[in-house]
Amino acid sequence: MTTDITTQVKNYNGKNSFILKMKDAVSKYGSLTVNQKSAVEKIFNNPVESKSVEMTDDIKKISFYEGTNSFVSNLKVKLNQFGKLSEKQISAGLKQIEKEDKKTLVRKMSVPAIGDTIKVGRKIGQQLKEQYGLNFNPILLDITKVLAFSAKAVKFSGNMTVKRGDVCMCCAKTLTDEFSMLTKMGKTCAKHMRVEYITDSSQAERFRNE
């Protein structure tokens, strides 16, 4: 075709519901995906104008499909071209959509166990300090008991500490150089806290006091 697919969609004045939907997508995002362009091109290459479609719930799932499954995308094109699909096509399409939906619902969740140690950042450490009236910002939590967990959160009890020399007391990142391990704070966090960083191990006590 001599004219770019996206340009053809922009200039489209017909009644094909799918093309009109793609026209809105171009207006909103400035371009179409590879699958969308392929579907549009098939419609433009077929002289048959889209027929009205009886929108049952199953048909809607195929008609409004925006996934990457090529089989369902082809069914969507045929649906917009001819206004109908066979029961076998609908059933097969719905099975593919269901498989894709199940994949997107799979979530990996790392559930901490007793004896595990987790790191907390500066913000959460400050909140814990205020909540429990501590005189330090905790940066590590040693889990002593898992109380409950759901798909979104884990509730546990544990011991809080700042006494690990390889973890920054501000951001909980692992410390790598000798001076950072002495002071328990990295150079970046020291700058953030406006504390002059040490250049000699004899300055470590002064740094901690500040």
Side-chain angles (χ1 to χ4, degrees), residues 146-161:
V146 177
L147 303 174
F149 64 89
S150 67
K152 294 183 178 181
V154 179
K155 182 179 182 180
F156 57 85
S157 59
N159 297 322
M160 298 179 284
T161 181

Side-chain angles (χ1 to χ4, degrees), residues 20-78:
L20 292 174
K21 188 175 181 181
M22 293 301 98
K23 188 174 182 178
D24 289 338
V26 170
S27 177
K28 185 175 181 180
Y29 303 109
S31 62
L32 297 174
T33 66
V34 174
N35 284 339
Q36 287 172 333
K37 286 182 179 180
S38 177
V40 169
E41 188 172 9
K42 288 179 180 179
I43 294 175
F44 280 143
N45 287 335
N46 192 312
V48 178
E49 184 60 63
S50 175
K51 298 180 181 180
S52 61
V53 181
E54 183 183 352
M55 284 294 182
T56 64
D57 289 341
D58 290 343
I59 290 293
K60 285 179 181 178
K61 290 180 181 179
I62 296 174
S63 179
F64 299 133
Y65 178 74
E66 295 293 342
T68 58
N69 186 290
S70 58
F71 175 73
V72 182
S73 295
N74 286 333
L75 288 181
K76 182 176 179 178
V77 173
K78 291 178 181 178

Side-chain angles (χ1 to χ4, degrees), residues 122 139 164-198 207-208:
R122 183 188 300 112
I139 55 172
R164 306 289 173 78
D166 61 342
V167 177
C168 176
M169 69 173 65
C170 282
C171 67
K173 290 184 179 179
T174 301
L175 300 173
T176 56
D177 68 86
E178 178 184 359
F179 291 157
S180 294
M181 290 180 182
L182 280 172
T183 60
K184 299 180 184 176
M185 188 186 298
K187 290 182 179 180
T188 301
C189 285
K191 184 177 181 181
H192 176 82
M193 300 295 288
R194 298 180 181 178
V195 182
E196 183 182 354
Y197 200 66
I198 70 173
F207 181 89
R208 283 194 288 269

Side-chain angles (χ1 to χ4, degrees), residues 113-116 142-146 156-159:
I114 297 174
D116 287 352
D142 296 324
I143 297 175
T144 57
K145 187 176 182 179
V146 177
F156 57 85
S157 59
N159 297 322

Side-chain angles (χ1 to χ4, degrees), residues 183 196-209:
T183 60
E196 183 182 354
Y197 200 66
I198 70 173
T199 57
D200 184 88
S201 59
S202 65
Q203 302 170 6
E205 189 62 29
R206 182 270 304 167
F207 181 89
R208 283 194 288 269
N209 289 336

